[in-house]
Amino acid sequence: MPLATTVILPDSIGHGASTKPSDGLRARFPRYNYDDMVEAQYRLVTEGMGIKHLRLVIGVSMGGMHTWIWGTRYPDFMDVLVPMSSQPTPMASRNWMLRRLITDTIRNDPEWNNGNYSTQPRSVAQSARDRDHGA
C-alpha cells in the first residue's frame, strides 16, 4: 500500500495572501524576520495540522533561507533539506546595495509618511521599475 503524500506550501508572513503591513496596520505592523516566519510555519505544521515529522523541507531563494533555518532550529523534525538558490550567509554586494537603494527611495518619499501612508507612495512603483530594469 503506497504512503499518502501531503505537500504544504505556506505563505510567509507579509507575502501572498498572508497578513501584511499594507492590510491596514502599516507602520504599526509588528517587525518580523526569517526566524519568525519559520516559527510560524513550524507552529502551523505541528499545532495546526498535528504533524510530528516531515520527510522534506525544500525552498527557493527566500524559501531556501527558511530551509536553512528549519535545519538549524529543528534538525530532527525532517529527513531531508533542499535549500535552493540560497546560501546561509548575510546579504551582501549588489543584492544589499539594490535593496538599500529601494528602501531609501521609499522612506525618503514624503508620501511614505514614516509608513503611515494613505495611498501607496509613488516611489514604490518607481523603485519596482528600477529593480526590474537592473538599476
Side-chain angles (χ1 to χ4, degrees), residues 77-96:
F77 191 74
M78 77 292 298
D79 298 327
V80 179
L81 295 172
V82 182
M84 299 186 298
S85 300
S86 67
Q87 296 179 13
T89 60
M91 187 175 22
S93 190
R94 184 174 185 266
N95 191 355
W96 182 87

Side-chain angles (χ1 to χ4, degrees), residues 1-61:
M1 178 175 208
L3 296 174
T5 301
T6 301
V7 177
I8 305 165
L9 301 169
D11 276 343
S12 291
I13 298 169
H15 297 80
S18 177
T19 301
K20 57 185 86 25
S22 60
D23 288 344
L25 287 177
R26 301 199 194 315
R28 295 183 319 275
F29 195 85
R31 291 195 177 272
Y32 62 95
N33 60 24
Y34 286 165
D35 291 321
D36 299 318
M37 290 186 243
V38 170
E39 175 69 18
Q41 293 165 1
Y42 178 78
R43 291 186 63 192
L44 167 71
V45 169
T46 58
E47 296 171 24
M49 301 176 80
I51 296 173
K52 306 272 189 256
H53 188 81
L54 298 174
R55 172 73 182 113
L56 168 72
V57 172
I58 185 172
V60 178
S61 192

